[in-house]
Amino acid sequence: MNKIEEMLKLYNCKLDDEKIKEQVKALIAEKVIENDNDEVKKFLLGSVELTTLKTTDSDSSVMAFTERVNAFEEEHPDLPHVATICVYPCFAEIVADTLQVEGVEIACVSGSFPSSQARMEVKIAETKLAIADGATEIDIVMPVGKFLSGDYESLASDIQELKEACGEAVPMKVILETGCLKTAENIKKASLIAMYSGADYIKTSTGKLEPAATPEAAYVMCQAIKEYYEKTGIQIGFKPAGGMNTVTDAMIYYTIVKEVLGEKWLTNKWFRLGTSRLWDQLVQCLV
């Protein structure tokens, strides 16, 4: 038995998908209404990772995208700014040179996003270059094919090498692409392997495939984070991304984090929302 298998044996990964659905449905029905208020919406606004990952992105469009954050700080000093601006690595320098708001992180999707299908040397180089250009956080995609084929050791090694490229000072989020994992058991195992291998956050999806984030996937991931914290004392962040279309969607994820992980995770350091459209909707609710 290898180290990954030994680690997984410490946790209950035999999950029933239907039971998870029932638990999430009940939690949403009972608890979301409690969080439908301006205080929570302000928190969610400050947890947004404002994201542009388009084929049509350019230096000028990313600069204008960043200027929106600068302008918002001036126009709405009473509201929280976004937590992060998330872009492709080739735009890290543009964001770093344009951004004027203190406390906003610069995240770059790296490691051959969104497929993770590239030689490790290329993934490492892309990651190091993004950091050199100003990225303060890195989002990578777990090699899903390796997971599905049961090559957990190689998967863990990939994550570890990219975390080494980031260093301790730059947090790394590992995207599980939960829509490809299909089952709660797979999502739980992938969450644990990612955390064990050096993830500082685990993230649901790239937003490039369907289904993207789902409440059920978030629930299982948060359970994994909680159990990992209880066993190791290591706090791991959580980021749902993709498929969030309404403010209610955001409140559902907030509620899951609050009920499963608790108040310690309700800061914009440990809980992020990967989206752009929700930023505008949340602002409209609050101004």
Side-chain angles (χ1 to χ4, degrees):
M1 187 180 296
N2 62 45
K3 289 183 179 180
I4 302 299
E5 290 171 335
E6 290 177 356
M7 180 274 294
L8 291 174
K9 282 181 67 69
L10 300 175
Y11 300 86
N12 174 29
C13 294
K14 297 292 184 183
L15 302 180
D16 184 309
D17 290 300
E18 289 304 315
K19 187 174 181 180
I20 295 293
K21 287 181 181 178
E22 291 172 5
Q23 291 171 340
V24 172
K25 184 178 179 180
L27 188 152
I28 291 171
E30 295 171 12
K31 299 293 184 178
V32 170
I33 193 170
E34 298 175 7
N35 300 313
D36 188 358
N37 57 67
D38 284 354
E39 183 180 352
V40 169
K41 289 171 185 174
K42 283 183 180 180
F43 169 80
L44 292 169
L45 184 66
S47 295
V48 165
E49 294 205 349
L50 197 64
T51 302
T52 182
L53 298 171
K54 300 175 183 175
T55 302
T56 54
D57 286 344
S58 65
D59 286 356
S60 58
S61 71
V62 171
M63 185 180 296
F65 189 76
T66 307
E67 288 286 13
R68 289 180 61 201
V69 176
N70 295 337
F72 183 83
E73 177 82 350
E74 295 179 7
E75 294 167 7
H76 302 285
D78 56 324
L79 293 177
H81 56 65
V82 296
T84 313
I85 295 174
C86 183
V87 295
Y88 283 112
C90 54
F91 299 117
E93 189 172 12
I94 294 289
V95 177
D97 289 345
T98 307
L99 184 62
Q100 297 172 358
V101 182
E102 293 199 9
V104 176
E105 304 293 343
I106 302 171
C108 283
V109 293
S110 185
S112 193
F113 178 93
S115 68
S116 193
Q117 302 288 16
R119 291 174 64 98
M120 183 52 65
E121 295 91 339
V122 174
K123 295 182 183 182
I124 289 171
E126 184 179 41
T127 300
K128 288 184 175 181
L129 286 168
I131 293 169
D133 282 348
T136 59
E137 297 181 353
I138 293 291
D139 290 23
I140 68 162
V141 181
M142 178 188 79
V144 178
K146 289 183 178 180
F147 177 87
L148 293 175
S149 62
D151 189 3
Y152 297 160
E153 284 190 285
S154 181
L155 165 63
S157 177
D158 281 12
I159 295 172
Q160 288 165 358
E161 287 191 59
L162 285 168
K163 179 54 189 171
E164 288 173 10
C166 291
E168 290 303 315
V170 178
M172 185 179 77
K173 307 182 196 87
V174 176
I175 304 165
L176 306 185
E177 202 65 283
T178 52
C180 294
L181 300 181
K182 305 296 185 185
T183 68
E185 179 174 345
N186 280 346
I187 293 169
K188 179 87 173 276
K189 286 181 178 178
S191 298
L192 292 166
I193 294 170
M195 293 186 287
Y196 179 80
S197 303
D200 297 293
Y201 295 74
I202 53 176
K203 176 178 169 182
T204 56
S205 47
T206 61
K208 301 297 185 183
L209 297 176
E210 295 294 337
T214 66
E216 292 78 16
Y219 185 75
V220 173
M221 290 170 70
C222 287
Q223 285 182 324
I225 291 170
K226 179 181 180 180
E227 292 174 28
Y228 190 77
Y229 178 71
E230 290 171 347
K231 288 187 184 297
T232 67
I234 299 171
Q235 187 170 5
I236 304 294
F238 173 63
K239 178 182 173 182
M244 287 180 284
N245 297 311
T246 68
V247 172
T248 300
D249 291 337
M251 288 191 292
I252 286 171
Y253 290 109
Y254 173 92
T255 302
I256 290 169
V257 170
K258 180 180 178 181
E259 296 300 321
V260 177
L261 292 172
E263 297 288 338
K264 190 170 184 177
W265 269 262
L266 293 180
T267 75
N268 73 351
K269 176 179 179 180
W270 299 111
F271 175 50
R272 301 280 181 78
L273 294 165
T275 183
S276 288
R277 66 173 67 91
L278 283 188
W279 187 50
D280 293 325
Q281 292 184 34
L282 286 163
V283 171
Q284 289 173 10
C285 290
L286 294 166
V287 298

